[in-house]
Amino acid sequence: MTDATSTSANTPSSGNGEASGRDVGLVGLAVMGQNLVLNLAEHGYRVSVYNRTTETTDEFVDRQPFGDHIVGYETIEQMVASLSRPRRIILLVKAGVVVDKVIESIVPFLDDGDIVIDGGNSLYTDSTRRQTALADQNIHFIGAGVSGGEEGARNGPSIMPGGASEAWPHVKEMLQAISAKAGPAEDEPCCDWVGPEGAGHYVKMIHNGIEYGDMQVLAEAYAIMSAQGRANGEMAATFAQWNDGRLKSYLVEITSEILAHTEESGQSTIDLILDAAGQKGTGKWTVISAMELGQPMMLVAEAVGARMVSSFVETRARAAEVLPGPDASPALDASLTLDDIGDAIYAAKLISYAQGFMTLDAASEEFGWSLDLGSIAKLWRAGCIIRAVFLDDIARAYAEKPDLENLLFDPFFADALSSAIAGLRKTVVAAAAAGLAVPAYASALTFYDGFRTARGSANLIQAQRDYFGAHTYERLDKPRGEWFHTDWVGSGAAAVSGSYSA
Ligand code: 2AM
């Protein structure tokens, strides 16, 4: 790399004009882009911005309060030329082919060692591909997951950068400056290097999958409490109370506010919203990846599935007419307390995070990324949608034992789960008896019971596979790794007819 000045562009420039070059470029002035630019400018960075539609650039630059800390350019070439080297250019454009198009349009104006940071919601495999392709041209590519929505982008998101590690020293200070801060003194940046290739976007994808799960877990608590006849105000108060304890989190907090919100007429807004959930695909991507890695991220899978079922609005209305079941409201076990439901939320969440971290661990192994699971938990403590006190405990668990086999084996979580699991079980039983769908809770409980079963029923699956497909099986009375086939029909079910290597 021919590089370049130094890492000085990493710190905000002192404002001595264009001669020294501007600190950072940003392409894509939709909501996330605009807010990230304002955040950068507020931290003293001089940002050069470009948007395909120039009117958007002009309107934004005219309106913003940071003067020449934010300058708009009509062409990519001008924007690139305004930057000090190594140039740092953040892309916040629509995920998919647009990212490739924008990269193509920028690269001719870049020099060796310049840095392109994709802060959009790209699929991690695309980021891996882009990093490899740009490395061939001596351009450093960083795929950075950014979570926190509009508000996070403006005031401090969680940032999960991965890709060309050579570029990290040149962007570290800037990205950490604009990120959310966590920890007792709120001075620990929720931004740290995640790993090579598409690791940053992978971790962001898992974050989003977990977010689907957390949302479904809360929606099921709402469904149960509604079926128990509790008023929205009471539920709002309950969520607010939960937000004072171990469940303290952004999603619990906003759920309380949503349930308390009323229209001018006095009617609850929540009661007027169609019960059909949208999705943009990151939950589905998470589940696909987990499946590919052999990891049962089933709570998130149920959350994705529940959104799909919710979208069948007309079909559900017809099914409600013809498919019988208990009448949920009176049948729901009146003895199911708010504490039981709080336990169900906590236990289900814990199991979901354990599944998520199992997937991260497997991805780290499969892709050779050496992910630091404790550091990832730390990145999610503030700024992002799943931020919660809970993540401090996960970070602590991995800090104490970096090679922790499973989050559920951490003594704090094992203890917490053993006291909350009874509430989850009671909740699932009550909901099932009442005919109320609680896919996330039921899935969490089933995983828990399966995971803690030392001798399960898969011996029958193996026998069936061997019966119809001669797939062979291992035996309890022989060492692992020796494979046997039985001639089930011919010489009797007990006969072992051979041993095979795996
Ligand atoms: P626009 O304002 O010109 O539509 C999110 O959609 C961001 O991606 C917007 O800033 C949008 O620019 C940008 N974008 C979408 N498609 C694009 C394309 N084909 N080329 C460049 N930018 C694009």
PDB file of all heavy atoms in Angstrom, residues 401-416:
ATOM      1  N   LYS A 401     -14.746 -17.069  31.866  1.00  0.00           N
ATOM      2  CA  LYS A 401     -14.395 -18.364  31.274  1.00  0.00           C
ATOM      3  C   LYS A 401     -14.530 -18.258  29.752  1.00  0.00           C
ATOM      4  O   LYS A 401     -15.576 -18.589  29.188  1.00  0.00           O
ATOM      5  CB  LYS A 401     -15.358 -19.437  31.840  1.00  0.00           C
ATOM      6  CG  LYS A 401     -14.823 -20.846  31.749  1.00  0.00           C
ATOM      7  CD  LYS A 401     -15.721 -21.800  32.545  1.00  0.00           C
ATOM      8  CE  LYS A 401     -15.153 -23.204  32.661  1.00  0.00           C
ATOM      9  NZ  LYS A 401     -14.792 -23.854  31.415  1.00  0.00           N
ATOM     10  N   PRO A 402     -13.487 -17.761  29.086  1.00  0.00           N
ATOM     11  CA  PRO A 402     -13.574 -17.527  27.640  1.00  0.00           C
ATOM     12  C   PRO A 402     -13.933 -18.782  26.847  1.00  0.00           C
ATOM     13  O   PRO A 402     -14.514 -18.679  25.771  1.00  0.00           O
ATOM     14  CB  PRO A 402     -12.170 -17.037  27.275  1.00  0.00           C
ATOM     15  CG  PRO A 402     -11.594 -16.513  28.547  1.00  0.00           C
ATOM     16  CD  PRO A 402     -12.185 -17.330  29.641  1.00  0.00           C
ATOM     17  N   ASP A 403     -13.593 -19.974  27.375  1.00  0.00           N
ATOM     18  CA  ASP A 403     -13.906 -21.194  26.625  1.00  0.00           C
ATOM     19  C   ASP A 403     -15.178 -21.867  27.145  1.00  0.00           C
ATOM     20  O   ASP A 403     -15.375 -23.072  26.983  1.00  0.00           O
ATOM     21  CB  ASP A 403     -12.723 -22.167  26.687  1.00  0.00           C
ATOM     22  CG  ASP A 403     -12.402 -22.568  28.124  1.00  0.00           C
ATOM     23  OD1 ASP A 403     -12.909 -21.900  29.057  1.00  0.00           O
ATOM     24  OD2 ASP A 403     -11.644 -23.547  28.324  1.00  0.00           O
ATOM     25  N   LEU A 404     -16.044 -21.058  27.762  1.00  0.00           N
ATOM     26  CA  LEU A 404     -17.320 -21.577  28.277  1.00  0.00           C
ATOM     27  C   LEU A 404     -18.023 -22.403  27.190  1.00  0.00           C
ATOM     28  O   LEU A 404     -18.260 -21.899  26.098  1.00  0.00           O
ATOM     29  CB  LEU A 404     -18.187 -20.362  28.671  1.00  0.00           C
ATOM     30  CG  LEU A 404     -19.511 -20.625  29.374  1.00  0.00           C
ATOM     31  CD1 LEU A 404     -19.289 -21.270  30.732  1.00  0.00           C
ATOM     32  CD2 LEU A 404     -20.260 -19.291  29.551  1.00  0.00           C
ATOM     33  N   GLU A 405     -18.347 -23.663  27.521  1.00  0.00           N
ATOM     34  CA  GLU A 405     -18.916 -24.548  26.503  1.00  0.00           C
ATOM     35  C   GLU A 405     -20.295 -24.084  26.074  1.00  0.00           C
ATOM     36  O   GLU A 405     -20.667 -24.160  24.901  1.00  0.00           O
ATOM     37  CB  GLU A 405     -18.985 -25.982  27.048  1.00  0.00           C
ATOM     38  CG  GLU A 405     -19.472 -26.991  26.032  1.00  0.00           C
ATOM     39  CD  GLU A 405     -19.618 -28.386  26.620  1.00  0.00           C
ATOM     40  OE1 GLU A 405     -19.247 -28.603  27.797  1.00  0.00           O
ATOM     41  OE2 GLU A 405     -20.114 -29.263  25.886  1.00  0.00           O
ATOM     42  N   ASN A 406     -21.071 -23.603  27.028  1.00  0.00           N
ATOM     43  CA  ASN A 406     -22.422 -23.131  26.734  1.00  0.00           C
ATOM     44  C   ASN A 406     -22.811 -22.142  27.824  1.00  0.00           C
ATOM     45  O   ASN A 406     -22.518 -22.365  28.999  1.00  0.00           O
ATOM     46  CB  ASN A 406     -23.402 -24.323  26.717  1.00  0.00           C
ATOM     47  CG  ASN A 406     -24.761 -23.928  26.175  1.00  0.00           C
ATOM     48  OD1 ASN A 406     -25.500 -23.178  26.809  1.00  0.00           O
ATOM     49  ND2 ASN A 406     -25.082 -24.419  24.996  1.00  0.00           N
ATOM     50  N   LEU A 407     -23.503 -21.082  27.411  1.00  0.00           N
ATOM     51  CA  LEU A 407     -23.909 -20.037  28.350  1.00  0.00           C
ATOM     52  C   LEU A 407     -24.702 -20.617  29.522  1.00  0.00           C
ATOM     53  O   LEU A 407     -24.605 -20.137  30.660  1.00  0.00           O
ATOM     54  CB  LEU A 407     -24.780 -19.041  27.580  1.00  0.00           C
ATOM     55  CG  LEU A 407     -24.872 -17.616  28.081  1.00  0.00           C
ATOM     56  CD1 LEU A 407     -23.512 -17.025  28.390  1.00  0.00           C
ATOM     57  CD2 LEU A 407     -25.594 -16.766  27.021  1.00  0.00           C
ATOM     58  N   LEU A 408     -25.460 -21.679  29.252  1.00  0.00           N
ATOM     59  CA  LEU A 408     -26.300 -22.264  30.301  1.00  0.00           C
ATOM     60  C   LEU A 408     -25.465 -22.970  31.370  1.00  0.00           C
ATOM     61  O   LEU A 408     -25.971 -23.310  32.430  1.00  0.00           O
ATOM     62  CB  LEU A 408     -27.315 -23.245  29.699  1.00  0.00           C
ATOM     63  CG  LEU A 408     -28.238 -22.664  28.619  1.00  0.00           C
ATOM     64  CD1 LEU A 408     -29.243 -23.701  28.154  1.00  0.00           C
ATOM     65  CD2 LEU A 408     -28.967 -21.413  29.124  1.00  0.00           C
ATOM     66  N   PHE A 409     -24.162 -23.201  31.096  1.00  0.00           N
ATOM     67  CA  PHE A 409     -23.292 -23.825  32.087  1.00  0.00           C
ATOM     68  C   PHE A 409     -22.637 -22.798  33.011  1.00  0.00           C
ATOM     69  O   PHE A 409     -22.013 -23.172  33.997  1.00  0.00           O
ATOM     70  CB  PHE A 409     -22.183 -24.646  31.409  1.00  0.00           C
ATOM     71  CG  PHE A 409     -22.688 -25.883  30.705  1.00  0.00           C
ATOM     72  CD1 PHE A 409     -21.904 -26.530  29.760  1.00  0.00           C
ATOM     73  CD2 PHE A 409     -23.949 -26.409  30.987  1.00  0.00           C
ATOM     74  CE1 PHE A 409     -22.350 -27.675  29.107  1.00  0.00           C
ATOM     75  CE2 PHE A 409     -24.407 -27.560  30.341  1.00  0.00           C
ATOM     76  CZ  PHE A 409     -23.609 -28.185  29.401  1.00  0.00           C
ATOM     77  N   ASP A 410     -22.755 -21.524  32.669  1.00  0.00           N
ATOM     78  CA  ASP A 410     -22.206 -20.494  33.553  1.00  0.00           C
ATOM     79  C   ASP A 410     -22.985 -20.552  34.876  1.00  0.00           C
ATOM     80  O   ASP A 410     -24.223 -20.597  34.864  1.00  0.00           O
ATOM     81  CB  ASP A 410     -22.380 -19.116  32.898  1.00  0.00           C
ATOM     82  CG  ASP A 410     -22.061 -17.996  33.873  1.00  0.00           C
ATOM     83  OD1 ASP A 410     -20.871 -17.826  34.179  1.00  0.00           O
ATOM     84  OD2 ASP A 410     -23.000 -17.322  34.337  1.00  0.00           O
ATOM     85  N   PRO A 411     -22.287 -20.581  36.021  1.00  0.00           N
ATOM     86  CA  PRO A 411     -22.999 -20.785  37.301  1.00  0.00           C
ATOM     87  C   PRO A 411     -24.105 -19.765  37.546  1.00  0.00           C
ATOM     88  O   PRO A 411     -25.187 -20.122  38.024  1.00  0.00           O
ATOM     89  CB  PRO A 411     -21.888 -20.642  38.348  1.00  0.00           C
ATOM     90  CG  PRO A 411     -20.621 -20.893  37.618  1.00  0.00           C
ATOM     91  CD  PRO A 411     -20.835 -20.508  36.185  1.00  0.00           C
ATOM     92  N   PHE A 412     -23.879 -18.488  37.179  1.00  0.00           N
ATOM     93  CA  PHE A 412     -24.907 -17.466  37.402  1.00  0.00           C
ATOM     94  C   PHE A 412     -26.154 -17.784  36.580  1.00  0.00           C
ATOM     95  O   PHE A 412     -27.283 -17.748  37.089  1.00  0.00           O
ATOM     96  CB  PHE A 412     -24.359 -16.080  37.028  1.00  0.00           C
ATOM     97  CG  PHE A 412     -25.410 -15.007  37.006  1.00  0.00           C
ATOM     98  CD1 PHE A 412     -25.802 -14.367  38.189  1.00  0.00           C
ATOM     99  CD2 PHE A 412     -26.035 -14.636  35.817  1.00  0.00           C
ATOM    100  CE1 PHE A 412     -26.781 -13.385  38.167  1.00  0.00           C
ATOM    101  CE2 PHE A 412     -27.020 -13.661  35.795  1.00  0.00           C
ATOM    102  CZ  PHE A 412     -27.391 -13.031  36.965  1.00  0.00           C
ATOM    103  N   PHE A 413     -25.941 -18.126  35.304  1.00  0.00           N
ATOM    104  CA  PHE A 413     -27.095 -18.393  34.441  1.00  0.00           C
ATOM    105  C   PHE A 413     -27.761 -19.724  34.780  1.00  0.00           C
ATOM    106  O   PHE A 413     -28.992 -19.858  34.713  1.00  0.00           O
ATOM    107  CB  PHE A 413     -26.694 -18.346  32.964  1.00  0.00           C
ATOM    108  CG  PHE A 413     -26.554 -16.937  32.455  1.00  0.00           C
ATOM    109  CD1 PHE A 413     -25.385 -16.500  31.862  1.00  0.00           C
ATOM    110  CD2 PHE A 413     -27.603 -16.035  32.575  1.00  0.00           C
ATOM    111  CE1 PHE A 413     -25.256 -15.194  31.403  1.00  0.00           C
ATOM    112  CE2 PHE A 413     -27.488 -14.726  32.122  1.00  0.00           C
ATOM    113  CZ  PHE A 413     -26.315 -14.302  31.529  1.00  0.00           C
ATOM    114  N   ALA A 414     -26.948 -20.730  35.135  1.00  0.00           N
ATOM    115  CA  ALA A 414     -27.523 -22.025  35.513  1.00  0.00           C
ATOM    116  C   ALA A 414     -28.460 -21.830  36.705  1.00  0.00           C
ATOM    117  O   ALA A 414     -29.575 -22.378  36.753  1.00  0.00           O
ATOM    118  CB  ALA A 414     -26.408 -23.007  35.848  1.00  0.00           C
ATOM    119  N   ASP A 415     -28.004 -21.004  37.631  1.00  0.00           N
ATOM    120  CA  ASP A 415     -28.784 -20.713  38.829  1.00  0.00           C
ATOM    121  C   ASP A 415     -30.048 -19.916  38.487  1.00  0.00           C
ATOM    122  O   ASP A 415     -31.155 -20.239  38.927  1.00  0.00           O
ATOM    123  CB  ASP A 415     -27.881 -19.859  39.742  1.00  0.00           C
ATOM    124  CG  ASP A 415     -28.228 -20.057  41.179  1.00  0.00           C
ATOM    125  OD1 ASP A 415     -28.465 -21.224  41.535  1.00  0.00           O
ATOM    126  OD2 ASP A 415     -28.283 -19.044  41.922  1.00  0.00           O
ATOM    127  N   ALA A 416     -29.859 -18.886  37.659  1.00  0.00           N
ATOM    128  CA  ALA A 416     -30.983 -18.029  37.272  1.00  0.00           C
ATOM    129  C   ALA A 416     -32.025 -18.854  36.523  1.00  0.00           C
ATOM    130  O   ALA A 416     -33.238 -18.714  36.749  1.00  0.00           O
ATOM    131  CB  ALA A 416     -30.479 -16.888  36.398  1.00  0.00           C
TER     132      ALA A 416
END
